[in-house]
Every structure is written in C-alpha cells, then in structure tokens.
Amino acid sequence: MLARRSRPQCSKRHQGIGKLPLMRSTGRQLRILVTLGSPSMLRIYDATLRALADRGHRVTLVVNAFKPSVDVVDIDDERVRFAGVVPKRRDVWAAFLRSLRTRMDFVHYLDGRFADTPLLQTRMYTQAVPAPLRRVWKLRSISTLRVGRLLRVLKAIERAVPLNRRVARFLAKQRPDVVFVSPLIHGIADQDDMVRAARAAGVPVVAGIAGWDNLTSKGRLRAKTDAIVVWNAQLQREAIEFHGVAPERVVVTGAQVYDYLFERHPSTTRDEFCRMLGLPADRVLILFAGSSRVVGQSTRSKAEIPFVRDWLTALRASGDPRLRDAAVLIRPHPLMVDRWKAADFSDLGPVAVWPSTSVAGTDAHRTTLFDSLFHGDAVVGLNTSVMIEASILRKPVLSIVLPDFADVQDGTRCFRYLRPEHGGFLQLASSFEQHLEQLSAALHAPELVAAEAERFVASFVRPHGPGIACAPLLADAIEQVGWMGIAPSRQEPRGSRTVRALLWPIAIGMGWRETRHRGSSG
C-alpha cells in the first residue's frame, strides 16, 4: 500500500495562492498522476504539465476515455509519460453507481437557485427521470435546505458502495504522491472512483475546474478533494455556495487555458489568411463564432444555422457599406463541425465556413482560432467561450439576445458574467437593427471597447495580474497539496455494511437490466 507522506514545514513569511499555505520545498520530487477526461483536455493543461516536469517532478498522464482512431495525445514533451486509460468499473455496482450519480446531479438542479436556468434543470430531469414517470411527476424546484438533505442521503448511499478495485489497483501500480483530476464535475463516474480510491490510500487529490460554466451547468461536484482549482472569485463563490466546498479548499489561479493568447503570434499575414479562405482582404472581416452542442440540446434553440442566415441577410441590407460589403468567417464549434458542412451561404456575399474538420484538442485548434481572432475586426456569437478569447485580444464582441435563444443565453449563469452590468464586455442587442448599429459603432471606434475588455480580463481571466501566467500557479497548487499529504481514510462509515446489504439485490437487478439492454440493442 502507499505510505503516508510526511509534511514539510509552512513558511510563515509568505502566503500561498488561494487558501493554501505556501509550503517550503522539501527538494523531493513528486510523482504526479494527471487524470483527464479525454485527450482533448490537454490543450487546457499541457503548459501546467510542462511546468511540473521543468521542476523535476515525474508526471504521468492517464485519460478516462480514448478512441485510437480519433483521439491524439498531443503533448510534445517526452518527460510526460502517457499511461493509457483508467480501468472502467466492471463489478456488480457499476450500473447502480452511474444511476445514483445521475440522480445526485438531478437533485442538485432541483435547488430553487436554479429555477431561472430551465435549460439546465430540464436537461438533467430528462436524463434522470424515466419517460413514463415524467407523465405524473412534473419538474419543480425545492428549497436549498431540502436539496441538501436529499444529497446527504444519496452521498451516504454512495459511500456504502465498495471502492472500485480496478481503479485502486491501477492507482497502487502508479504510486503517485498526488493526483490531479479534471473535469471531475462533468459526469465522468470513473473520476469519482479515482478520487475515492486515492483518498482511501492517503494520496491527496487536486481537482481542476476546466471551464467557466462547469460549476453551474455540468452537474454536482460529488467527490470531496483536498483542493479545487478555479479561475476567479466568481467561480470560487459558485464552488462554495452551490457545491458546499469549504472556502479553504478553493484555490484561484486564473484561466490557464488562455495563457497561450498572451504569448502567441499569428501564423499568417492578413492577406495570406484571407486568400486561404477565399475572402477579400481589403475590407472588414467579421468572425461569427459558433456555439457548442448545448444549443442543440435546447428545445427552442436548434436553429443556429438559420439564425446565421438571417443575420447575414440583415448585414447585407445595412446602410453602412463597411457592414454591407464585409467579409464574414463562420467558425463552427470544434464539436459541431459536421452540422455546418451542408450550410450554403454563397448567395450572401463573401462568406467562408472554416475549419471544415474538427481540430479539438490539438495545437491546430489554437493556431486556427488565434489567427481568426487576430485578423478579425469584430466577433459575433450567441454563447461561446470564444467571446472570452476575443476579449483577451481586445476585439469588439457582440451578441443578439432573442427569445428563441433565451435559454442558452441568460438561461445559463455563465453567460451573465459577460454582461457589462456584471463586469463583462459583451455588447448586447435585442434586435438585428440595434445589433447592426452597435457593430457599426464598434468598427469605427474599436478602442472604446478595449477598456471594458481589459477590466474583464483582469478579474475573470488573470486575477493575479495580466502579466502573470496561470499555468505555473496551477503547478504551484498541485505541488503544495502533494507536499502537504493526507492521512489514509480507510475507516468504513458506520452502517455501510447494512446499507450495502440492502442495496445488493438492487445493484444486481440494475446490472442485469443494463446487460440485457445492451444485448438487445446490439
């Protein structure tokens, strides 16, 4: 078994990042196990992995899902060892745990504080409640107090389920001093199992919240870790208020996923870029940033492509010749490229849809996106993180808030952070006419929006300072937790054996039903 680690002494002369005390280095290298949901997440954490390797630590990367024909482990550092895929749970409890954790997410969104985000509630309601039961049990919000009680009951049931032995053996083989896991909150049950197994063995765990919307739109933070790493003070409040994380466990490092935007240079000139796309280089270039699959999951918001056609039609009818004759680049979301392949805008002036293949998770994603933003004069979208990236490059960013898209815009809490009244930079319009007026003004005086963008970046993206990269701060947090260590938590909660005995026949039944369903569908 893994031995308990000794604790280095804290330096009283310094404060650590977030709520962690700054530990004086012991000079001892750490064995760090990095567990990511998929290889595509490397674009978020590759700089952090390199920073840890630069400090002499042994970094091992594993993923929870890997498709050899699709996924690429794209990290150009031989010091980071790829150890494959975390073993899946195969025992009698597998189906039961998946169902239980889905219902924990569902109960989380019953909280009345999510009543103004119906898309999120409905999505989880559909996943967790069988169709026949939905006819008699309508979705209703309940008090935060009742939600807390229900979650404590469900958590007690989860604790009664034995550890995932395959993950525990895998972890023992790797012998890490600290585990970093991300996204954790995104419904990946295997990552919950990794956290439980690590803490039971006395291995401290750091969780990385991968995106700006994860804490409000991806589910419940079910597993308790030794530290939660978030971008900024807003997400720190979400972790504490919505997920019950102790304040001293939340560490603010900034958004390391965007570090590259502060250092990168375009790979082409504007003329070369436009020539490659078949667009004229002698006029305004407007980038439309496509939304993620959340738009497609909305009951009312399945029409982004028709919306873009309406937007282009309004653009071509503008009284401002800069808009009427503008070149337009439509950049699909990396996970939605196929949906745009049949879109035809050839009757609406100079328009290009690019990239035509998904480059998610590779450095090509950064290159193509950076070039698009750098050469673009303004960015338009419905709800996408590209808006944040555009603000880092001080580009005007605009959106149109229409009833058809209300649930995927203000119906999500993350979108509200982009509003000026919440410290954001986004120029919002309620009609095409108002939008075109704002777009025209922004193109004529782009410097006027730069101040709002700078304020947003300073608080949301790099809260420790615009010149301080975030990846090294995340590396600091992982080091500090690794040096602190924890005591193994092998003691079984009281009553677990009784609960487990009662749940055993249910777990067997659920596993049999799942196996039968797979057989019939195959």
Side-chain angles (χ1 to χ4, degrees), residues 80-218:
V80 178
R81 183 175 69 95
F82 180 58
V85 181
V86 178
K88 301 289 184 184
R89 187 162 198 149
R90 304 295 188 193
D91 63 13
V92 69
W93 297 99
F96 176 83
L97 267 182
R98 281 194 295 272
S99 177
L100 177 66
R101 287 164 175 164
T102 297
R103 277 147 185 80
M104 292 172 75
D105 288 342
F106 168 59
V107 170
H108 174 70
Y109 284 110
L110 288 178
D111 193 319
R113 292 175 295 181
F114 290 101
D116 59 350
T117 57
L119 170 64
L120 306 179
Q121 286 190 318
T122 303
R123 183 173 61 187
M124 197 55 62
Y125 172 73
T126 303
Q127 292 178 15
V129 180
L133 189 55
R134 282 180 237 145
R135 299 172 185 171
V136 295
W137 184 23
K138 301 301 180 182
L139 177 62
R140 292 185 177 86
S141 297
I142 59 179
S143 69
T144 301
L145 182 63
R146 290 182 64 191
V147 166
R149 290 171 178 167
L150 285 171
L151 287 173
R152 283 193 291 274
V153 171
L154 294 174
K155 190 64 182 177
I157 294 173
E158 184 190 38
R159 286 197 298 268
V161 175
L163 293 177
N164 185 335
R165 292 183 180 179
R166 300 185 78 212
V167 170
R169 287 195 294 267
F170 180 83
L171 188 70
K173 183 178 179 180
Q174 299 300 326
R175 294 181 54 80
D177 296 301
V178 60
V179 171
F180 175 77
V181 58
S182 185
L184 186 60
I185 198 171
H186 201 181
I188 301 176
D190 290 343
Q191 293 197 331
D192 288 37
D193 288 343
M194 174 66 79
V195 173
R196 287 189 65 195
R199 289 178 60 82
V203 180
V205 182
V206 180
I209 302 303
W212 62 315
D213 63 338
N214 287 23
L215 288 167
T216 54
S217 69
K218 303 300 185 184

Side-chain angles (χ1 to χ4, degrees), residues 200-280:
V203 180
V205 182
V206 180
I209 302 303
W212 62 315
D213 63 338
N214 287 23
L215 288 167
T216 54
S217 69
K218 303 300 185 184
R220 177 72 181 179
L221 192 60
R222 300 177 297 260
K224 182 179 180 180
T225 60
D226 300 280
I228 300 287
V229 179
V230 299
W231 291 5
N232 51 50
Q234 292 97 316
L235 302 190
Q236 183 182 39
R237 286 194 295 271
E238 289 180 358
I240 296 169
E241 295 175 8
F242 293 132
H243 299 273
V245 181
E248 63 272 14
R249 292 176 182 260
V250 187
V251 183
V252 174
T253 62
Q256 64 282 341
V257 65
Y258 299 136
D259 277 353
Y260 79 100
L261 288 167
F262 294 84
E263 305 164 354
R264 210 172 188 93
H265 300 284
S267 65
T268 64
T269 65
R270 182 184 173 94
D271 285 347
E272 292 169 340
F273 183 72
C274 290
R275 190 182 312 120
M276 176 191 66
L277 297 173
L279 296 174

Side-chain angles (χ1 to χ4, degrees), residues 314 318 323 400 429-440:
S318 170
L323 301 185
I400 310 171
S430 56
S431 66
F432 284 120
E433 292 76 16
Q434 184 185 13
H435 166 72
L436 293 177
E437 291 176 2
Q438 293 175 344
L439 182 55
S440 178

